[in-house]
Amino acid sequence: VQLQASGGGLVHTGGSLRLSCAVSGRFYSTYIMGWFRQAPGKEREFVAAITWNTGITYYDDSVKGRFTISRDNAKFTVYLQMNGLKFEDTAVYYCAASPRFSFSRSEYDYWGQGTLVTVSS
């Protein structure tokens, strides 16, 4: 499975961005697609996930109500719509795929290259 993340950039506090993750290769519809982020000097942390076949979503409490994860089955793409961005959302965002749901990054076997989101105050 290959993952290609894009859509990062510089935005002011309160602004919005939409990240995309293009999926290719040997991908199974039972996979879980996740977004993680890593801020400078911090560990990579779970942001959101979606089950590809059923569309069930999961969010970290820090982004609930502001971020929305979705997928387009026809385009093999996962999105992370980020609204109401805060300074503390600044991080490199990674998409990942796992055969089973988990909040832990260690359960995700496939990773994209990361896209930088910078929120200026």
Side-chain angles (χ1 to χ4, degrees):
V1 178
Q2 290 81 47
L3 305 175
Q4 180 75 33
S6 61
L10 174 64
V11 63
H12 291 296
T13 302
S16 298
L17 278 176
R18 188 177 79 158
L19 306 183
S20 299
C21 177
V23 182
S24 60
R26 195 168 186 175
F27 179 79
Y28 298 95
S29 63
T30 53
Y31 273 21
I32 311 301
M33 299 301 300
W35 284 98
F36 288 74
R37 65 186 180 186
Q38 187 166 15
K42 294 189 176 181
E43 301 219 340
R44 195 171 299 187
E45 62 180 11
F46 173 83
V47 176
I50 187 168
T51 56
W52 188 270
N53 54 357
T54 62
I56 297 173
T57 58
Y58 308 84
Y59 296 95
D60 184 75
D61 286 344
S62 65
V63 305
K64 275 182 185 175
R66 300 188 298 122
F67 291 11
T68 303
I69 188 171
S70 63
R71 87 273 191 245
D72 185 324
N73 290 12
K75 295 182 178 179
F76 282 93
T77 301
V78 178
Y79 302 100
L80 185 67
Q81 178 66 45
M82 306 185 294
N83 299 328
L85 282 162
K86 303 176 181 180
F87 177 74
E88 52 264 39
D89 294 319
T90 296
V92 177
Y93 284 71
Y94 299 89
C95 60
S98 172
R100 68 195 67 81
F101 174 73
S102 175
F103 292 109
S104 172
R105 65 182 187 270
S106 64
E107 295 292 331
Y108 287 76
D109 300 323
Y110 307 99
W111 291 85
Q113 83 288 5
T115 185
L116 177 62
V117 172
T118 303
V119 184
S120 63
S121 56

